[in-house]
Amino acid sequence: MMPEAAKKESIAQRYEKLLEEHIAVSQRLSTISSEFSEYIGHATHIQSSLIARMQSMDVVIDTLKKIAIDALGQKEVIRRLMIAQEDIERGL
């Protein structure tokens, strides 16, 4: 059997080694957490950028709709003018 002092020394060394491993693991977890936070920040920035682009596209689509509606309205005006011109030419 080991003398009591040797047992205590052995236990103290194992505890110290476990404590060092715990500190190393904690530091690594902290590093991983920081990296993860960085990735989340990048993802959030990308998401914001995509939302802004989608909103810009919504504005473009709305503008194109208005242009199409205006064009249809102008087409109707032109059609009515052509009918009126034909009526004038026919003497109506």
Side-chain angles (χ1 to χ4, degrees), residues 53-65:
R53 288 180 184 180
M54 288 173 57
Q55 290 170 341
S56 294
M57 289 304 295
D58 286 345
V59 170
V60 169
I61 289 169
D62 287 345
T63 302
L64 289 174
K65 283 180 184 177

Side-chain angles (χ1 to χ4, degrees), residues 26-75:
S26 293
Q27 289 172 342
R28 181 64 184 134
L29 286 174
S30 177
T31 300
I32 290 170
S33 177
S34 294
E35 290 172 355
F36 185 71
S37 293
E38 211 174 303
Y39 294 139
I40 294 295
H42 290 308
T44 302
H45 174 72
I46 291 168
Q47 180 185 28
S48 298
S49 176
L50 288 173
I51 289 171
R53 288 180 184 180
M54 288 173 57
Q55 290 170 341
S56 294
M57 289 304 295
D58 286 345
V59 170
V60 169
I61 289 169
D62 287 345
T63 302
L64 289 174
K65 283 180 184 177
K66 288 176 184 173
I67 291 170
I69 290 169
D70 288 347
L72 289 174
Q74 289 177 6
K75 182 179 176 184

